[in-house]
Amino acid sequence: MEIYLARTQGFCAGVASAVDIVEFALGKYGPPLYVYHEIVHNTFVVNDFRNRGAVFVEDIDDVPEGCRIILSAHGVPPEVIAKAKKRKLKFLDATCPLVTKVHNEAVKFSAEKYATVLIGHKGHQELTGTAGYVNPNLLHIIEKEEDVEHLEIDSSQPVAYLTQTTLSVDETKGIIEKLQKKFPKLMAPPRSDICYATQNRQDAVKELAEICDIIIVCGSPNSSNSNRLRETGANAGVPSYIIDKAQEFDFSLLNSGMKVGISSGASVPTKIVDELINEIKNRHSNVHVHTFPNPEKNIVFKLPDLKVLN
Ligand code: SF4
């Protein structure tokens, strides 16, 4: 059996920073450390922190006054920050800088009175956070191409769009083309909002799809970028599966002559992929693992000022 590992492995820079922030705060101050939402969308990471004293909350009001809280990498709307200040919490915002970039674009478009079409998955924390930076009177959220037809925006109104960072590159391209047809003067963000980690991971799965008979994506069910990777494999015509941990995979789908592609989402620890490979090796002899150079090796984001937690 031949295993091909996607060239993108391990945490993206935004997830690595958020995880480092929680590690630092737990190590320096100990439990309880409050975290607003899952710090990143990965079951293993969240459970590990929970076991070490992190308390995950969905409402800032659940945090006792004066305590320490880390805000998740997906970003939060401004009212959450205002609430944290009001409750006199010591808070550190672990929002990925590439999500903050989208927040800043949202603020700018609203200041310039653009009707802003926000493309993303309704209910996803990142989308909720970004929506909070758009003037509610100018905000239009859409998820798919068909939604473009139903957009009701006055023709005299300038229109701009923004996207969630973890969407399908191909699907988003189709939505934007439809928007451009409907609004010929559509304003785009200065640089694509879909982040480098999402783009690289989808490109790496397309690469696997050319070689492999089956693709297994390691990623949690609530991870947007991981789900998009499974779809990317399936759209390329290769049976593709997503698993949170190795034990979830139906190993009867594999046989010895197969070429197996393994990818993982941007918030998946390499340990999960290693466990999957070991489980395959336990069931098959003569397993060869092929790797490719990782294009993200040297991408690191600067940590925010950790002293605000003192
Ligand atoms: S997937 Fe992209 S936007 Fe999200 S944390 Fe990673 S680098 Fe940041």
Side-chain angles (χ1 to χ4, degrees):
M1 181 184 290
E2 307 297 320
I3 292 181
Y4 292 88
L5 287 185
R7 59 175 72 242
T8 47
Q9 292 294 332
F11 293 156
C12 64
V15 167
S17 301
V19 166
D20 282 351
I21 288 168
V22 177
E23 283 287 359
F24 163 85
L26 268 178
K28 178 148 177 145
Y29 306 107
L33 174 74
Y34 292 85
V35 183
Y36 185 68
H37 292 326
E38 293 191 352
I39 182 74
V40 296
H41 285 157
N42 182 265
T43 314
F44 177 84
V45 173
V46 169
N47 285 344
D48 179 45
F49 281 138
R50 190 175 278 129
N51 292 338
R52 290 193 280 141
V55 181
F56 292 88
V57 294
E58 297 300 315
D59 189 340
I60 294 287
D61 286 337
D62 293 338
V63 184
E65 283 207 9
C67 283
R68 292 184 179 86
I69 184 165
I70 312 293
L71 307 179
S72 93
H74 308 100
V76 296
E79 58 266 27
V80 168
I81 293 176
K83 231 177 175 184
K85 284 182 183 162
K86 199 168 164 213
R87 289 185 70 73
K88 301 194 172 28
L89 303 182
K90 293 173 185 167
F91 71 93
L92 201 151
D93 188 354
T95 302
C96 172
L98 299 184
V99 176
T100 304
K101 163 193 159 290
V102 186
H103 292 177
N104 294 340
E105 288 160 357
V107 170
K108 187 168 172 282
F109 284 146
S110 282
E112 293 170 2
K113 304 276 186 288
Y114 278 88
T116 301
V117 181
L118 182 52
I119 308 167
H121 298 287
K122 287 178 187 158
H124 189 279
Q125 283 151 11
E126 181 189 325
L127 195 84
T128 306
T130 302
Y133 287 88
V134 180
N135 177 334
N137 299 320
L138 298 171
L139 175 65
H140 303 265
I141 296 178
I142 62 169
E143 291 188 300
K144 48 193 187 305
E145 283 190 33
E146 300 86 89
D147 295 340
V148 175
E149 290 151 34
H150 305 297
L151 276 173
E152 285 182 15
I153 301 175
D154 192 296
S155 57
S156 63
Q157 177 93 38
V159 184
Y161 75 87
L162 295 170
T163 78
Q164 195 176 319
T165 56
T166 50
L167 298 181
S168 152
V169 174
D170 296 333
E171 202 181 326
T172 307
K173 191 167 165 265
I175 298 174
I176 294 169
E177 280 168 3
K178 276 213 155 181
L179 280 172
Q180 280 163 335
K181 264 197 193 141
K182 184 160 177 160
F183 307 106
K185 292 187 179 160
L186 182 75
M187 180 66 89
R191 249 184 327 123
S192 167
D193 292 332
I194 293 184
C195 79
Y196 80 93
T198 301
Q199 174 86 55
N200 286 346
R201 278 160 184 70
Q202 289 176 20
D203 288 349
V205 166
K206 286 179 188 167
E207 206 170 41
L208 291 182
E210 287 181 13
I211 314 168
C212 299
D213 305 306
I214 186 170
I215 292 175
I216 310 170
V217 176
C218 296
S220 292
N222 59 345
S223 161
S224 172
N225 81 87
S226 303
N227 282 293
R228 301 298 81 76
L229 294 180
R230 192 206 63 74
E231 288 168 10
T232 302
N235 290 341
V238 180
S240 301
Y241 301 86
I242 183 166
I243 52 159
D244 209 359
K245 52 180 191 282
Q247 294 79 357
E248 280 180 10
F249 186 64
D250 176 2
F251 289 94
S252 70
L253 292 167
L254 304 183
N255 63 57
S256 294
M258 269 183 160
K259 292 177 177 167
V260 180
I262 300 181
S263 168
S264 56
S267 52
V268 177
T270 47
K271 174 185 179 346
I272 307 287
V273 171
D274 293 343
E275 280 170 6
L276 177 62
I277 295 170
N278 285 337
E279 290 292 333
I280 295 174
K281 283 184 172 169
N282 288 341
R283 289 167 171 81
H284 296 270
S285 51
N286 283 331
V287 175
H288 305 114
V289 180
H290 305 267
T291 57
F292 304 96
N294 186 341
E296 298 179 355
K297 249 187 165 163
N298 301 319
I299 303 179
V300 181
F301 293 158
K302 192 170 169 273
L303 288 181
D305 182 5
L306 302 167
K307 287 201 287 291
V308 297
L309 291 172
N310 274 338

